[in-house]
Amino acid sequence: MKYSKKVIEHFTRPRNQGRLSSPSGVGIAGNPICGDLMKIYIKVKKDRIEDIKFETLGCASAIATSSMITQLAKGKTLSEAEKITRNDVADALEGLPMIKMHCSNLADEALHKAIENYKSKNKKAQ
Amino acid sequence: MYNKKTKRIYFDYAATTPVDKTVIDAMLPYFSQKFGNAMSIHFFGKEAEEAVDKARETLADFLHCKSDEIIFTSGATESNNLAIKGVVKSYWANPPAGGWKPHIITTAFEHHCVLETCQSLEKDGLAEVTYIKPDREGIINPLDIKKAIRKNTILVSIMYVNNEIGTLQPIEEIGKILKSYPVKSDDHGASKLKAKILFHTDATQAVNYFDCDVEKLDVDLLSLSGHKIYGPKGAGALYIKKGTPIRRITDGGDQEFSLRAGTQNVPGIVGLGKAIELVAQNAKRETKKIEKLRNYLIKKVLQEIPNSKLNGSLKFRTPANANFTFKDVEGESLLIALDMEGIACSTGSACSTGSLEPSHVLLALGMKAEEAHGSLRITLGKDTAKQEIDIFITKLKNIIKHLRKISGKVLEEYYGLK
Ligand SMILES: Cc1ncc(COP(=O)(O)O)c(C=O)c1O
Ligand code: FES
């Protein structure tokens, strides 16, 4: 098993790492039993992801995929962001080892849950 | 993955060791100069055979047994397979009247090659197996073994030193218990039909540091491996006490007293013999030195890194092993980050293997899955220097800080949510 340069780069210097103090939506994916837990915070303004942050407990590839997905989603409209798939994340990272594909699944799930969370909160507000 | 400019530090001696220079020198002539097949009757064969016999004697001296009780194998995996499957095979070759299935007692934290051998025997309907759990400190209680003995128990297999947490098992005590079985008095004569319960130990991780006198240990079978003791990979041995009912599990030639078919790996066997010779000469001195370094390492890690804990007993432990859990850190990412700094360790995290289950050893100790995922194993060896430990501590501190920043409070919040 070997990680790409891009994975290592995002693992050592993750982008958008941290948390938002008053996020519009939060999504959590993973399970500590499996060793990984991912949390994505989004700040939405005019249907656009204006800011995004993540916190991840997981392997190097889990950290890199969460970093990459925040980079891909930042500045996108919600419907654009919803279209991001795990393959987009893996491709942007110049590939993931086969046994690590589920980490990109997690990133994808966390982002989509954050968007859902935002939408359901907004529905209630209306 | 590591940066080529950084000095490399090897802290994974339990995975494998570098071959000692003296061992290489001993092996070299047996590749192309004295290349004979030890089974051939001509000069070339005799030369090889002599070398194999000499190694056999060295091992016999070390284990305190006779040289025809040593079988050379390709390593501890094969030795363990032969010991367990061979005994079960022998049982089925001549099953007693009544036709009950034989019963094996082992532990829940054996090396995979023992666990999976037992599991495959269960699956094939050839044996029943009891997996004894260690206590929280990683030690097997001999009384638990005693309690697990059934009428149909034929074999007990317990590792001498655990490869992941380094804990030392009470082999001698268990040997004593098994020696007194079957109990003759209140057994109404039934025991007369039954042979002694055989005792096997996987001593792979013990050879470097602990007494492997098979008489003292009261074992019938003992496995060891060359590459964990500064010898070559692909060379190991199984001690089989004379009279032990066992059948070979590979068919072919008559090598190794007809218990292990296949042309002998002469250079490997010579190397294994030399490695054992060196252990016998040096072990005591190195043990003290390594233990001192290891204790220093443990003290520093627990002192310098908050929310860190040592897994497994400190008192009953091989001097070379330290195994920690760091809260809010996942082991694979820790391993990768250390590797990038040129430091090689190992982890019980599932993320490092592709399986979803974390270390069965740490789970057997009763640890939570997330604790097992956050584990780091450091194993020292004879070339370890104090300076390497100091470098390691400094880097580890920074890496843990970095990873904890990334994980934030996700774990706490997750459980808070539930
Ligand atoms: C306790 C134990 N048993 C068995 C083995 C397997 O040994 P080998 O690599 O010689 O097959 C190992 C090493 O991985 C071990 O640590
Ligand atoms: S988080 Fe477990 S393999 Fe990536």
Side-chain angles (χ1 to χ4, degrees):
Chain A
M1 193 203 79
K2 197 171 184 308
Y3 283 131
S4 70
K5 272 211 181 95
K6 203 86 190 172
V7 170
I8 292 298
E9 187 198 316
H10 276 260
F11 167 56
T12 26
R13 290 190 301 110
R15 322 293 147 80
N16 306 308
Q17 191 274 309
R19 51 202 293 151
L20 293 176
S21 50
S22 47
S24 335
V26 181
I28 300 174
N31 182 332
I33 307 291
C34 307
D36 34 47
L37 211 43
M38 244 181 230
K39 197 164 183 177
I40 288 185
Y41 305 78
I42 53 172
K43 179 126 210 141
V44 180
K45 223 176 204 167
K46 290 194 188 131
D47 246 22
R48 206 173 272 281
I49 298 181
E50 192 191 61
D51 203 358
I52 181 165
K53 293 262 188 231
F54 82 89
E55 286 177 321
T56 292
L57 170 64
C59 69
S61 128
I63 291 169
T65 50
S66 21
S67 164
M68 183 50 88
I69 207 162
T70 58
Q71 200 174 30
L72 293 178
K74 196 166 180 173
K76 293 233 164 56
T77 63
L78 290 180
S79 58
E80 282 168 341
E82 274 172 333
K83 286 194 197 100
I84 298 174
T85 68
R86 63 190 201 134
N87 286 332
D88 296 332
V89 181
D91 289 348
L93 285 169
E94 294 164 1
L96 282 175
M98 264 318 281
I99 59 164
K100 295 289 178 182
M101 283 309 286
H102 83 270
C103 312
S104 56
N105 233 350
L106 285 179
D108 181 83
E109 191 186 325
L111 174 66
H112 289 105
K113 279 189 173 164
I115 295 173
E116 261 169 49
N117 176 247
Y118 162 76
K119 284 186 170 169
S120 70
K121 276 204 287 192
N122 262 36
K123 235 180 250 158
K124 270 179 226 146
Q126 278 168 2
Chain B
M1 198 153 303
Y2 73 100
N3 177 341
K4 292 208 172 50
K5 276 171 278 176
T6 44
K7 183 187 173 309
R8 293 199 289 168
I9 297 176
Y10 189 73
F11 279 167
D12 205 10
Y13 284 86
T16 195
T17 56
V19 182
D20 194 286
K21 177 79 174 55
T22 325
V23 171
I24 298 178
D25 289 344
M27 290 172 73
L28 279 178
Y30 292 92
F31 284 99
S32 48
Q33 229 179 309
K34 307 180 180 181
F35 61 88
N37 184 328
M39 294 294 277
S40 305
I41 51 174
H42 48 59
F43 173 80
F44 293 89
K46 287 280 158 283
E47 199 172 49
E49 192 190 18
E50 265 166 37
V52 169
D53 285 346
K54 186 170 164 240
R56 210 185 297 282
E57 270 159 35
T58 308
L59 262 78
D61 278 349
F62 182 74
L63 298 176
H64 207 220
C65 65
K66 295 185 205 73
S67 62
D68 59 358
E69 294 177 311
I70 303 286
I71 304 296
F72 288 116
T73 65
S74 65
T77 299
E78 190 191 332
S79 297
N80 289 337
N81 270 267
L82 174 56
I84 298 168
K85 287 181 185 155
V87 163
V88 169
K89 200 172 168 189
S90 162
Y91 171 87
W92 283 113
N94 197 4
W100 30 266
K101 226 187 246 188
H103 174 239
I104 298 171
I105 301 169
T106 187
T107 75
F109 71 164
E110 293 297 310
H111 189 269
H112 281 293
C113 62
V114 168
L115 282 182
E116 287 184 25
T117 294
C118 289
Q119 285 157 6
S120 99
L121 288 170
E122 278 182 297
K123 221 174 102 211
D124 294 343
L126 296 174
E128 297 169 355
V129 184
T130 302
Y131 302 91
I132 303 289
K133 280 207 163 154
D135 63 13
R136 291 195 76 88
E137 293 274 277
I139 312 285
I140 295 291
N141 184 343
L143 290 178
D144 288 344
I145 304 293
K146 195 171 173 177
K147 275 187 244 158
I149 294 175
R150 301 180 193 163
K151 274 239 178 329
N152 56 337
T153 303
I154 62 162
L155 175 70
V156 174
S157 177
I158 316 278
M159 67 200 321
Y160 198 161
V161 167
N162 180 276
N163 49 300
E164 212 168 303
I165 48 173
T167 51
L168 178 69
Q169 305 309 315
I171 299 301
E172 210 177 314
E173 264 180 87
I174 298 169
K176 287 231 159 58
I177 290 175
L178 295 176
K179 208 176 174 179
S180 62
Y181 273 80
V183 186
K184 291 221 176 68
S185 53
D186 52 4
D187 212 353
H188 304 296
S191 62
K192 272 184 212 133
L193 300 169
K194 196 167 172 279
K196 174 189 183 287
I197 299 171
L198 298 174
F199 188 23
H200 167 244
T201 188
D202 175 0
T204 307
Q205 295 288 349
V207 171
N208 272 329
Y209 307 106
F210 296 101
D211 191 351
C212 287
D213 180 330
V214 292
E215 250 176 69
K216 249 192 235 165
L217 296 175
D218 267 322
V219 293
D220 303 285
L221 300 134
L222 180 147
S223 307
L224 58 86
S225 179
H227 74 103
K228 311 283 188 185
I229 56 170
Y230 307 93
K233 293 171 182 62
L238 176 65
Y239 155 75
I240 307 178
K241 187 178 186 167
K242 205 159 237 146
T244 300
I246 189 165
R247 291 251 171 152
R248 68 180 186 182
I249 56 170
T250 39
D251 295 308
D254 291 332
Q255 293 91 349
E256 299 301 306
F257 314 105
S258 292
L259 276 168
R260 198 265 183 181
T263 300
Q264 283 110 329
N265 169 10
V266 178
I269 290 169
V270 168
L272 174 60
K274 192 46 122 183
I276 288 283
E277 203 181 303
L278 295 180
V279 171
Q281 281 168 12
N282 299 328
K284 290 226 172 60
R285 201 186 63 226
E286 270 157 17
T287 303
K288 284 246 146 47
K289 183 196 122 183
I290 292 169
E291 184 163 29
K292 221 171 132 191
L293 288 173
R294 195 275 317 270
N295 290 345
Y296 174 70
L297 171 93
I298 292 178
K299 197 181 104 206
K300 282 297 227 191
V301 167
L302 298 180
Q303 230 170 42
E304 305 266 330
I305 297 173
N307 286 315
S308 58
K309 110 182 204 301
L310 180 75
N311 299 318
S313 162
L314 178 59
K315 192 167 161 213
F316 301 102
R317 191 184 196 102
T318 165
N321 172 297
N323 187 308
F324 302 99
T325 286
F326 302 105
K327 194 171 164 283
D328 294 323
V329 171
E330 187 282 321
E332 191 259 21
S333 54
L334 181 54
L335 210 69
I336 299 284
L338 284 165
D339 186 39
M340 287 166 60
E341 298 286 352
I343 302 171
C345 313
S346 151
T347 174
S349 165
C351 302
S352 68
T353 60
S355 76
L356 290 174
E357 285 282 301
S359 152
H360 68 286
V361 173
L362 300 180
L363 294 183
L365 260 60
M367 284 169 62
K368 282 198 260 173
E370 58 262 38
E371 292 176 311
H373 284 293
S375 73
L376 183 73
R377 179 186 78 176
I378 296 138
T379 45
L380 310 183
K382 59 182 183 183
D383 298 323
T384 305
K386 180 160 178 287
Q387 190 208 4
E388 291 179 321
I389 295 175
D390 290 327
I391 295 172
F392 166 74
I393 301 285
T394 313
K395 307 251 176 184
L396 182 70
K397 253 168 91 172
N398 290 333
I399 291 168
I400 299 264
K401 229 184 251 164
H402 174 71
L403 294 174
R404 279 186 176 155
K405 202 175 131 219
I406 295 173
S407 69
K409 289 200 165 48
V410 279
L411 195 61
E412 250 165 65
E413 286 165 1
Y414 180 84
Y415 282 119
L417 274 180
K418 284 199 126 179

